[in-house]
Every structure is written in C-alpha cells, then in structure tokens.
Amino acid sequence: MEFSSKLIEKAVNEMSQLPGIGKRTALRLVLHLLKQPKEQTSFLSQALLTMREDIKFCESCHNISDTKLCEICANALRNHETICVVEDIRDVMAIENTGQFKGIYHVLGGKISPIEGVGPNQLNISSLVDKAKSGKVTEIIFALSSTMEGDTTNFYIYKQIADLQIVVSTNARVISVVDELEYADEITLGRSILHRVPFEKTFKNN
C-alpha cells in the first residue's frame, strides 16, 4: 500500500496494530479522523492516554477499575459468598450483561497453557485460593471457556480447594466448545450460569 504522506502511513501502521484491524480498515479510520474537527481527534487521543495512565485493577478481583476496588466488589448488595471465576475482563462484561449473576468475580488473567508458556504462577490463582481459604466463600463457579486450556485451569484450581467446605460448580455446557463467553448470546450465557452443575460431574463422567 503506497502513501503520499509519511504521517498518514505512520498513523495507519499504528492503527493496524489493533486486533481485527487490517491496513485498509486502518486507512479508512485514519482518513475519517482527518475529516473530523481537530478537537474531536484531541478528545479521542486524550481519552486513550488518560485510560492508559489512570486505569487500575481491582485489588480484590483483578477486574479493571477506576478505584482500588471495582464497583462490583464495592457493592454491598452483591453476594460476596459466591465467586464466578473468569478468564478476563471481557467475560465479566458478558456475564454482567445477562443480569443473572449477583455474586462477585475473580479474573484469572488467562488460562493455563503449557504450549504458550503460561503456567499457574502467571495467573491470579493464588489470590483466589486465599479467598477460598478465608471461610467467607460458600461457592466458586468456574466460567472459563470449554477448551482444553479452560478445563485444565478449572481442574488445577479445583485440586487446590477440593478439601475446603465450598461448593464448586461450573456453568452448564450449553455454549459451544469453539465459543468464548463474550460471543455467547445473553440468554444462553445467562442460562448456563443459572443452571450450573457440580464441577465433580464434569470430569467423573469423562
């Protein structure tokens, strides 16, 4: 792709680094911004800079937050005895959009994947185990995607907390194995949370 301006070329190259954005789409976005008032571009760039510099991660669940505790963990009306374990912040958003879950979350920050060099120590697992051992938790729900990595992560955590007096369950497998939680429709995802099953059944029947 040839550019008549090095400034446009640089902007397109940077924009195309975003996931799902190719060079042609990046060019359309850059040209669109070029047509907008300078103030609009300034608002966008300032919003991105502020987000990047000021965003925090919740000290309790590791969700993104503007403060030390996210709004969900700080909400006294949520059921703090029930924790839904998810891979990343997109899964929190997906489940929250269903309006069916009233507990709190724990964001692992990924899944165990030896092929990709991701081990348990690189995830937020130890803090979850600490919560389980605190005596304040009655149920932990595994809501990771139905993949080999997701199942491996579930089982690893389960082994860490199996001796505790805690109900361990998983979302009902009504979501396709190839789907991530964020792509499931709200009704299906909501049902999978409401009709969760004991985790032990998912591997004893295999």
Side-chain angles (χ1 to χ4, degrees), residues 142-190:
F142 293 142
L144 303 185
S145 55
S146 305
T147 60
M148 182 179 297
E149 293 80 7
D151 290 342
T152 298
T153 306
N154 287 341
F155 189 71
Y156 178 87
I157 297 173
Y158 174 77
K159 295 296 289 183
Q160 307 299 307
I161 62 177
D163 294 335
L164 303 177
Q165 297 299 313
I166 295 177
V167 174
V168 182
S169 56
T170 185
N171 54 304
R173 295 303 174 91
V174 295
I175 302 174
S176 170
V177 171
V178 299
D179 283 342
E180 298 291 339
L181 294 186
E182 63 174 312
Y183 299 123
D185 66 87
E186 293 179 7
I187 294 177
T188 300
L189 182 54

Side-chain angles (χ1 to χ4, degrees), residues 77-192:
L77 298 179
R78 305 286 297 217
N79 178 7
H80 287 250
E81 295 182 352
T82 301
I83 299 177
C84 183
V85 181
V86 296
E87 178 182 351
D88 61 34
I89 57 178
R90 294 171 297 179
D91 299 329
V92 173
M93 295 176 182
I95 296 174
E96 280 298 284
N97 285 338
T98 70
Q100 299 296 321
F101 181 66
K102 303 303 180 184
I104 58 176
Y105 298 90
H106 188 90
V107 181
L108 294 178
K111 295 173 289 191
I112 295 174
S113 177
I115 294 178
E116 296 180 3
V118 180
N121 293 334
Q122 294 169 272
L123 304 177
N124 299 318
I125 292 178
S126 60
S127 56
L128 173 63
V129 174
D130 289 342
K131 289 179 185 177
K133 292 179 178 179
S134 70
K136 300 177 181 179
V137 178
T138 59
E139 182 180 9
I140 289 180
I141 306 167
F142 293 142
L144 303 185
S145 55
S146 305
T147 60
M148 182 179 297
E149 293 80 7
D151 290 342
T152 298
T153 306
N154 287 341
F155 189 71
Y156 178 87
I157 297 173
Y158 174 77
K159 295 296 289 183
Q160 307 299 307
I161 62 177
D163 294 335
L164 303 177
Q165 297 299 313
I166 295 177
V167 174
V168 182
S169 56
T170 185
N171 54 304
R173 295 303 174 91
V174 295
I175 302 174
S176 170
V177 171
V178 299
D179 283 342
E180 298 291 339
L181 294 186
E182 63 174 312
Y183 299 123
D185 66 87
E186 293 179 7
I187 294 177
T188 300
L189 182 54
R191 286 174 178 171
S192 76

Side-chain angles (χ1 to χ4, degrees), residues 36-68:
Q36 304 304 305
K38 289 184 178 181
E39 293 80 5
Q40 188 64 42
T41 306
S42 296
F43 292 151
L44 173 60
S45 60
Q46 187 57 52
L48 292 173
L49 284 173
T50 301
M51 175 197 69
R52 193 64 186 89
E53 292 175 358
D54 296 343
I55 200 73
K56 297 177 177 62
F57 290 92
C58 178
E59 292 182 349
S60 178
C61 74
H62 309 288
N63 189 17
I64 54 173
S65 177
D66 294 338
T67 54
K68 291 183 178 181

Side-chain angles (χ1 to χ4, degrees), residues 15-31:
M15 190 77 75
S16 64
Q17 299 302 311
L18 297 172
I21 304 294
K23 286 289 182 68
R24 293 185 181 278
T25 300
L27 177 59
R28 286 198 296 271
L29 293 172
V30 168
L31 293 179

